């Protein structure tokens, strides 16, 4: 007897990935650039799922939708990178579009669901840094949701007078340090002429990203190095808040910028060693980014919801 088939959607700010999954294995996947308009994003998800169904030859029993935003129930409360600025019942719309029950979850929570089997014995906090900052909590192998947004560490407030965050608050971790913020800082240093290295790269390429700030640091550019140190200190401060709040057995870091051999990740580890509370032995553990983790986690969520 064949394993039941479940749908999975990784609905991100840049790409929309759709897959059919059975027995923990991806049977077929599709990937399309995310359109700008929300209605077109719904259409892209439905079209990708239709192509998956055609390739596999059967429809999903249910579909998990992993969204880069704050989720409560079937509604996305805010997902700025997707163009969702207020409560939107994407679950209802996609249930009609896909012809099956759908279950909506934050994308980092979805990936954490896939990672949960690695740490089934105690409490694990997950912090992810890409374009933005996300997070999740895993307690003895199970995802902790609260009312839906538990573990959304990117929106911990570090400075009430800090920069405006798209979530509506000020001074959130994500508004102070993220891949997007590091890229903006690199461009600022380039355009102001403070960093000759970054000015040259901007002239060459026309735009900069977070990795350029790391490259400039490695090249000995002191303004870039100072900006990277400041950002790493802010991120480590966020980790300290997480540890003070939930005292996890480990903090799992996800994202290339946080890897052991990345300049930013190295600075974060150094700063964490300096500010870690005396009572805490919480280690930082990096895991490689795996786009399949989000899809497999979304499918697992759908399977658990209907079983």
């Amino acid at each position: 007897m064949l394993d039941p088939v479940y749908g999975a959607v990784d609905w991100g700010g840049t790409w929309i990935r759709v897959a059919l999954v059975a027995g923990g294995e991806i049977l077929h996947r599709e990937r399309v650039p995310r359109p700008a308009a929300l209605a077109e994003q719904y259409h892209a998800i439905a079209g990708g799922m239709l192509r998956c169904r055609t390739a596999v030859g059967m429809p999903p029993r249910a579909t998990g939708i992993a969204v880069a935003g704050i989720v409560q129930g079937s509604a996305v409360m805010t997902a700025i990178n997707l163009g969702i600025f207020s409560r939107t019942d994407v679950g209802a719309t996609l249930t009609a579009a896909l012809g099956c029950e759908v279950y909506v979850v934050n994308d980092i929570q979805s990936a954490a669901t896939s990672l949960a089997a690695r740490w089934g014995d105690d409490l694990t906090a997950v912090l992810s840094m890409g374009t933005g900052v996300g997070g999740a909590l895993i307690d003895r192998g199970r995802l902790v949701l609260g009312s839906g947004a538990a573990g959304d560490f990117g929106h911990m407030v570090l400075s009430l007078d800090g920069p405006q965050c798209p979530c509506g608050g000020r001074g959130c971790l994500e508004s102070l340090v993220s891949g997007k913020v590091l890229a903006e800082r690199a461009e600022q240093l380039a355009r102001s002429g403070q960093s000759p290295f970054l000015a040259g790269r901007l002239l060459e390429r026309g735009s900069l990203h977070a990795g350029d700030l790391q490259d400039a640091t490695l090249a000995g550019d002191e303004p870039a190095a100072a900006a990277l140190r400041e950002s790493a200190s802010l991120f480590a401060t966020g980790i300290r808040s997480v540890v003070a709040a939930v005292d996890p057995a480990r903090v799992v870091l996800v994202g290339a910028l946080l890897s052991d051999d990345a300049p930013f990740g190295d600075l974060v580890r150094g700063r964490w060693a300096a500010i870690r509370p005396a009572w805490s032995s919480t280690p930082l553990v990096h895991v490689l980014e795996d786009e399949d983790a989000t899809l497999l986690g979304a499918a697992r969520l759908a399977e658990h919801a209907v079983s």
Side-chain angles (χ1 to χ4, degrees):
M1 181 177 177
L2 293 175
D3 289 321
V5 174
Y6 295 93
V9 177
D10 178 4
W11 188 359
T14 303
W15 297 97
I16 292 175
R17 300 179 177 90
V18 181
L20 286 180
V21 177
E25 299 290 334
I26 294 177
L27 305 178
H28 185 80
R29 76 181 78 210
E30 295 282 336
R31 185 180 80 160
V32 296
R34 182 189 65 83
L38 184 58
E40 293 176 1
Q41 293 175 57
Y42 289 141
H43 182 74
I45 291 169
M49 189 59 70
L50 179 59
R51 291 190 294 275
C52 286
R53 289 177 58 170
T54 300
V56 172
M58 58 191 307
R61 289 184 61 188
T63 296
I65 311 290
V67 180
I70 297 174
V71 176
Q72 289 186 346
S74 68
V76 175
M77 310 308 288
T78 176
I80 305 304
N81 291 333
L82 308 183
I84 298 175
F85 300 95
S86 60
R87 187 185 186 280
T88 303
D89 195 343
V90 301
T93 300
L94 288 173
T95 293
L98 300 182
C100 66
E101 288 297 318
V102 305
Y103 300 90
V104 188
V105 69
N106 169 268
D107 57 347
I108 306 303
Q109 291 175 331
S110 180
T113 300
S114 182
L115 295 170
R118 301 189 196 181
W119 298 290
D121 56 341
D122 42 33
L123 185 66
T124 295
V126 179
L127 262 168
S128 172
M129 181 172 168
T131 302
V133 175
L137 281 172
I138 304 167
D139 186 14
R140 286 166 289 184
R142 296 182 65 86
L143 190 63
V144 178
L145 288 171
S147 296
D152 190 20
F153 301 127
H155 296 290
M156 296 183 300
V157 176
L158 300 189
S159 172
L160 286 173
D161 297 321
Q164 184 73 45
C165 181
C167 77
R170 280 192 174 276
C172 296
L173 177 62
E174 180 174 298
S175 71
L176 291 165
V177 52
S178 65
K180 180 181 179 182
V181 171
L182 291 182
E184 291 171 349
R185 185 68 176 124
E187 292 216 6
Q188 181 186 38
L189 290 172
R191 295 186 188 283
S192 67
Q194 295 177 68
S195 169
F197 180 98
L198 291 170
R201 186 162 286 187
L202 180 62
L203 183 63
E204 175 187 334
R205 289 214 316 251
S207 65
L208 297 174
H209 52 73
D212 294 309
L213 199 60
Q214 295 193 121
D215 291 346
T217 298
L218 291 172
D221 187 294
E222 181 51 34
L228 204 64
R229 286 195 299 270
E230 179 185 2
S231 297
S233 183
L234 285 166
F235 197 87
T237 301
I239 293 173
R240 199 185 195 288
S241 296
V242 170
V243 170
V246 300
D247 192 17
R250 65 195 61 81
V251 173
V252 174
L253 303 178
V254 183
L257 287 165
L258 295 168
S259 67
D260 295 342
D261 57 358
F264 181 78
D266 184 58
L267 288 168
V268 167
R269 283 166 182 76
R271 188 61 181 146
W272 171 240
I275 68 172
R276 183 170 58 190
W279 50 261
S280 172
S281 59
T282 304
L284 306 184
V285 181
H286 182 259
V287 297
L288 295 174
E289 284 187 283
D290 179 4
E291 67 181 48
D292 287 353
T294 303
L295 290 171
L296 292 172
R300 184 179 178 185
L301 170 73
E303 180 178 3
H304 289 176
V306 299
S307 60

